[in-house]
Amino acid sequence: GQQVMQIPQYQHVQEGEDFTTYCNSSTTLSNIQWYKQRPGGHPVFLIQLVKSGEVKKQKRLTFQFGEAKKNSSLHITATQTTDVGTYFCSSGYSTLTFGKGTMLLVSP
Amino acid sequence: SAVISQKPSRDICQRGTSLTIQCQVDSQVTMMFWYRQQPGQSLTLIATANQGSEATYESGFVIDKFPISRPNLTFSTLTVSNMSPEDSSIYLCSVWGQGLADTQYFGPGTRLTVL
Protein backbone atom coordinates (compact mmCIF):
# COMPACT_ATOMS: atom_id res chain seq x y z
CA GLY A 1 0.00 0.00 0.00
CA GLN A 2 0.90 3.67 -0.34
CA GLN A 3 1.22 6.03 2.62
CA VAL A 4 -1.64 8.49 3.14
CA MET A 5 -2.20 11.20 5.74
CA GLN A 6 -5.58 12.57 6.73
CA ILE A 7 -6.56 15.93 8.13
CA PRO A 8 -8.17 17.00 10.32
CA GLN A 9 -8.07 14.27 12.97
CA TYR A 10 -11.30 15.49 14.46
CA GLN A 11 -14.07 17.95 13.64
CA HIS A 12 -17.19 18.96 15.50
CA VAL A 13 -19.89 20.76 13.52
CA GLN A 14 -23.43 21.92 14.03
CA GLU A 15 -26.07 20.07 12.07
CA GLY A 16 -26.50 21.76 8.71
CA GLU A 17 -22.88 22.90 8.42
CA ASP A 18 -20.59 21.51 5.76
CA PHE A 19 -17.65 19.20 6.46
CA THR A 20 -14.53 18.32 4.51
CA THR A 21 -11.76 15.82 5.19
CA TYR A 22 -8.57 15.60 3.20
CA CYS A 23 -6.28 12.74 2.32
CA ASN A 24 -2.74 13.53 1.15
CA SER A 25 0.27 11.63 -0.08
CA SER A 26 3.79 12.58 -1.05
CA THR A 27 3.69 10.06 -3.90
CA THR A 28 1.30 9.42 -6.74
CA LEU A 29 -1.49 7.13 -5.69
CA SER A 30 -2.93 4.33 -7.79
CA ASN A 31 -6.38 4.92 -6.32
CA ILE A 32 -8.25 6.15 -3.26
CA GLN A 33 -10.99 4.47 -1.30
CA TRP A 34 -13.15 6.12 1.34
CA TYR A 35 -14.71 4.25 4.22
CA LYS A 36 -17.07 5.31 7.00
CA GLN A 37 -17.02 3.71 10.41
CA ARG A 38 -19.85 4.46 12.79
CA PRO A 39 -19.11 4.32 16.53
CA GLY A 40 -18.99 0.65 17.50
CA GLY A 41 -19.25 -0.44 13.87
CA HIS A 42 -16.94 -1.65 11.16
CA PRO A 43 -15.58 0.22 8.13
CA VAL A 44 -18.15 0.45 5.37
CA PHE A 45 -16.97 1.08 1.83
CA LEU A 46 -18.22 4.35 0.35
CA ILE A 47 -16.40 4.92 -2.94
CA GLN A 48 -13.28 4.25 -4.97
CA LEU A 49 -11.61 6.86 -7.18
CA VAL A 50 -9.10 5.87 -9.82
CA LYS A 51 -8.81 8.59 -12.45
CA SER A 52 -6.94 11.86 -12.20
CA GLY A 53 -9.34 14.71 -11.38
CA GLU A 54 -12.23 12.31 -10.82
CA VAL A 55 -15.29 13.62 -8.97
CA LYS A 56 -18.08 11.39 -7.71
CA LYS A 57 -21.20 12.26 -5.79
CA GLN A 58 -23.41 10.26 -3.46
CA LYS A 59 -26.33 12.41 -2.34
CA ARG A 60 -24.75 14.99 0.01
CA LEU A 61 -21.26 13.47 -0.28
CA THR A 62 -18.79 14.65 -2.92
CA PHE A 63 -15.51 12.83 -3.47
CA GLN A 64 -12.60 14.25 -5.44
CA PHE A 65 -9.29 12.83 -6.60
CA GLY A 66 -6.62 15.42 -7.36
CA GLU A 67 -5.23 16.03 -10.80
CA ALA A 68 -1.81 14.81 -9.67
CA LYS A 69 -3.37 11.81 -7.88
CA LYS A 70 -1.63 12.82 -4.66
CA ASN A 71 -4.65 14.00 -2.72
CA SER A 72 -8.33 13.44 -2.29
CA SER A 73 -11.18 15.01 -0.40
CA LEU A 74 -14.56 14.04 0.94
CA HIS A 75 -17.05 16.87 1.34
CA ILE A 76 -20.39 16.54 3.10
CA THR A 77 -22.96 19.25 2.44
CA ALA A 78 -25.41 20.16 5.21
CA THR A 79 -24.34 17.53 7.72
CA GLN A 80 -26.88 15.46 9.59
CA THR A 81 -26.52 13.56 12.87
CA THR A 82 -26.46 10.35 10.85
CA ASP A 83 -23.12 11.48 9.36
CA VAL A 84 -21.41 10.95 12.72
CA GLY A 85 -18.48 8.56 12.51
CA THR A 86 -14.87 8.27 11.45
CA TYR A 87 -14.02 8.64 7.80
CA PHE A 88 -10.97 6.78 6.56
CA CYS A 89 -9.18 7.05 3.26
CA SER A 90 -7.02 4.23 1.97
CA SER A 91 -4.99 3.44 -1.08
CA GLY A 92 -3.91 0.29 -2.85
CA TYR A 93 -5.71 -2.68 -4.29
CA SER A 94 -5.59 -5.98 -2.51
CA THR A 95 -3.32 -4.61 0.20
CA LEU A 96 -4.57 -1.31 1.61
CA THR A 97 -2.86 1.37 3.63
CA PHE A 98 -5.27 3.37 5.75
CA GLY A 99 -5.05 6.95 6.91
CA LYS A 100 -5.60 7.67 10.59
CA GLY A 101 -9.12 8.83 9.94
CA THR A 102 -11.16 11.95 10.64
CA MET A 103 -13.70 11.70 13.42
CA LEU A 104 -16.82 13.76 12.72
CA LEU A 105 -19.19 14.80 15.47
CA VAL A 106 -22.45 16.53 14.56
CA SER A 107 -24.45 18.40 17.17
CA PRO A 108 -28.19 18.74 16.61
CA SER B 1 -20.67 -6.63 -2.40
CA ALA B 2 -19.99 -9.53 -0.03
CA VAL B 3 -21.72 -10.62 3.15
CA ILE B 4 -19.18 -11.40 5.84
CA SER B 5 -19.76 -12.86 9.27
CA GLN B 6 -17.39 -13.17 12.18
CA LYS B 7 -17.56 -15.29 15.30
CA PRO B 8 -17.45 -14.46 18.11
CA SER B 9 -18.66 -10.87 17.91
CA ARG B 10 -17.00 -10.15 21.24
CA ASP B 11 -15.22 -11.97 24.03
CA ILE B 12 -13.54 -11.35 27.35
CA CYS B 13 -10.53 -13.58 27.92
CA GLN B 14 -7.97 -14.22 30.59
CA ARG B 15 -4.30 -13.44 30.17
CA GLY B 16 -2.32 -16.39 28.78
CA THR B 17 -5.21 -18.02 26.95
CA SER B 18 -5.88 -18.15 23.20
CA LEU B 19 -8.92 -17.22 21.13
CA THR B 20 -9.78 -18.29 17.60
CA ILE B 21 -11.85 -15.94 15.48
CA GLN B 22 -13.74 -17.23 12.47
CA CYS B 23 -14.54 -15.33 9.29
CA GLN B 24 -17.08 -16.62 6.77
CA VAL B 25 -17.97 -14.94 3.47
CA ASP B 26 -21.00 -15.77 1.35
CA SER B 27 -19.08 -16.16 -1.91
CA GLN B 28 -15.67 -17.27 -3.08
CA VAL B 29 -13.16 -14.43 -2.87
CA THR B 30 -9.65 -14.07 -4.13
CA MET B 31 -8.10 -12.70 -0.97
CA MET B 32 -8.89 -12.55 2.71
CA PHE B 33 -7.16 -10.32 5.25
CA TRP B 34 -7.00 -9.82 8.98
CA TYR B 35 -6.75 -6.36 10.55
CA ARG B 36 -6.44 -5.06 14.06
CA GLN B 37 -7.98 -1.80 15.22
CA GLN B 38 -7.00 -0.62 18.65
CA PRO B 39 -9.36 1.79 20.45
CA GLY B 40 -9.57 5.12 18.68
CA GLN B 41 -6.97 4.09 16.11
CA SER B 42 -6.84 3.29 12.43
CA LEU B 43 -6.71 -0.17 10.92
CA THR B 44 -3.47 -2.12 10.88
CA LEU B 45 -3.04 -5.08 8.57
CA ILE B 46 -1.93 -8.20 10.43
CA ALA B 47 -1.66 -10.64 7.54
CA THR B 48 -3.03 -11.92 4.27
CA ALA B 49 -4.65 -15.33 4.60
CA ASN B 50 -3.56 -17.54 1.72
CA GLN B 51 -5.54 -20.57 0.70
CA GLY B 52 -3.54 -23.74 1.03
CA SER B 53 -0.35 -22.08 2.21
CA GLU B 54 1.07 -20.09 5.08
CA ALA B 55 -0.27 -16.60 5.66
CA THR B 56 1.79 -13.57 4.69
CA TYR B 57 2.46 -11.46 7.78
CA GLU B 58 3.12 -7.74 7.99
CA SER B 59 6.03 -6.30 9.89
CA GLY B 60 5.54 -6.65 13.63
CA PHE B 61 3.23 -9.66 13.41
CA VAL B 62 4.39 -13.28 13.62
CA ILE B 63 2.82 -16.65 13.02
CA ASP B 64 3.43 -17.94 16.54
CA LYS B 65 1.35 -15.13 18.00
CA PHE B 66 -1.31 -14.91 15.25
CA PRO B 67 -1.66 -18.27 13.49
CA ILE B 68 -4.02 -18.05 10.53
CA SER B 69 -5.77 -20.70 8.50
CA ARG B 70 -7.62 -20.50 5.21
CA PRO B 71 -8.83 -23.94 4.19
CA ASN B 72 -11.00 -22.71 1.29
CA LEU B 73 -12.06 -19.61 -0.62
CA THR B 74 -14.83 -18.59 1.79
CA PHE B 75 -13.44 -19.20 5.29
CA SER B 76 -10.52 -18.16 7.45
CA THR B 77 -9.55 -18.20 11.10
CA LEU B 78 -7.25 -16.00 13.16
CA THR B 79 -5.97 -17.18 16.52
CA VAL B 80 -4.67 -14.71 19.07
CA SER B 81 -2.28 -16.78 21.18
CA ASN B 82 -1.01 -16.37 24.72
CA MET B 83 -3.01 -13.20 25.11
CA SER B 84 -2.04 -10.19 27.17
CA PRO B 85 -4.03 -7.00 27.87
CA GLU B 86 -2.16 -5.32 25.00
CA ASP B 87 -4.03 -7.64 22.62
CA SER B 88 -7.33 -6.01 23.57
CA SER B 89 -8.58 -4.70 20.27
CA ILE B 90 -11.10 -5.14 17.49
CA TYR B 91 -10.08 -7.79 14.98
CA LEU B 92 -11.59 -7.47 11.52
CA CYS B 93 -11.46 -9.73 8.54
CA SER B 94 -11.84 -8.33 5.06
CA VAL B 95 -12.18 -9.73 1.58
CA TRP B 96 -11.12 -8.59 -1.84
CA GLY B 97 -11.57 -9.92 -5.30
CA GLN B 98 -12.14 -9.11 -8.92
CA GLY B 99 -15.73 -10.13 -8.52
CA LEU B 100 -16.02 -7.39 -5.92
CA ALA B 101 -14.94 -4.64 -8.33
CA ASP B 102 -11.48 -4.50 -6.77
CA THR B 103 -13.02 -3.29 -3.54
CA GLN B 104 -12.25 -4.47 -0.03
CA TYR B 105 -15.19 -5.27 2.26
CA PHE B 106 -14.99 -5.69 6.02
CA GLY B 107 -16.64 -8.06 8.40
CA PRO B 108 -18.41 -6.78 11.53
CA GLY B 109 -15.35 -7.35 13.71
CA THR B 110 -14.59 -9.20 16.92
CA ARG B 111 -14.17 -7.04 20.01
CA LEU B 112 -11.62 -8.70 22.28
CA THR B 113 -10.90 -7.70 25.86
CA VAL B 114 -8.06 -9.40 27.71
CA LEU B 115 -8.02 -9.17 31.49
Side-chain angles (χ1 to χ4, degrees):
Chain A
Q2 298 153 309
Q3 298 295 323
V4 291
M5 292 179 298
Q6 273 186 265
I7 54 172
Q9 270 189 290
Y10 170 87
Q11 189 152 5
H12 187 178
V13 301
Q14 293 292 316
E15 191 170 26
E17 293 181 337
D18 292 356
F19 160 77
T20 305
T21 174
Y22 300 90
C23 185
N24 301 308
S25 173
S26 59
T27 60
T28 302
L29 301 170
S30 53
N31 57 17
I32 278 280
Q33 300 89 22
W34 286 95
Y35 290 82
K36 176 184 178 181
Q37 186 173 24
R38 293 180 187 273
H42 62 279
V44 174
F45 173 77
L46 295 177
I47 205 100
Q48 176 167 251
L49 306 171
V50 178
K51 299 177 184 176
S52 167
E54 190 169 13
V55 178
K56 289 188 177 180
K57 292 190 175 184
Q58 290 179 350
K59 298 183 180 179
R60 295 179 294 104
L61 277 61
T62 302
F63 305 84
Q64 292 188 316
F65 201 9
E67 292 289 342
K69 298 182 74 173
K70 290 185 176 183
N71 53 70
S72 179
S73 65
L74 158 58
H75 179 81
I76 303 178
T77 304
T79 54
Q80 300 175 358
T81 54
T82 53
D83 295 324
V84 164
T86 300
Y87 293 84
F88 292 98
C89 67
S90 63
S91 186
Y93 283 99
S94 55
T95 304
L96 299 182
T97 300
F98 282 82
K100 293 188 181 298
T102 296
M103 181 185 295
L104 171 64
L105 281 183
V106 180
S107 295
Chain B
S1 65
V3 177
I4 306 166
S5 61
Q6 280 186 238
K7 290 181 182 178
S9 58
R10 59 178 63 227
D11 208 341
I12 301 173
C13 301
Q14 295 297 319
R15 180 195 299 261
T17 62
S18 298
L19 176 72
T20 295
I21 303 168
Q22 298 179 1
C23 178
Q24 178 77 54
V25 61
D26 68 340
S27 59
Q28 294 184 346
V29 293
T30 308
M31 302 185 79
M32 297 180 78
F33 305 92
W34 287 97
Y35 287 83
R36 182 172 72 183
Q37 186 176 31
Q38 294 179 310
Q41 302 297 313
S42 186
L43 293 91
T44 301
L45 180 64
I46 298 172
T48 303
N50 300 311
Q51 189 210 356
S53 64
E54 193 172 286
T56 305
Y57 290 85
E58 298 299 306
S59 176
F61 298 97
V62 295
I63 187 171
D64 289 347
K65 176 66 175 177
F66 297 101
I68 287 171
S69 78
R70 190 180 174 192
N72 56 51
L73 293 176
T74 63
F75 185 78
S76 178
T77 66
L78 167 74
T79 299
V80 186
S81 303
N82 188 25
M83 289 184 284
S84 66
E86 292 71 35
D87 294 320
S88 297
S89 190
I90 299 172
Y91 292 86
L92 298 130
C93 74
S94 71
V95 301
W96 177 91
Q98 291 176 329
L100 301 175
D102 291 340
T103 299
Q104 199 161 132
Y105 292 92
F106 285 84
T110 295
R111 186 177 296 270
L112 171 62
T113 302
V114 184
L115 303 177

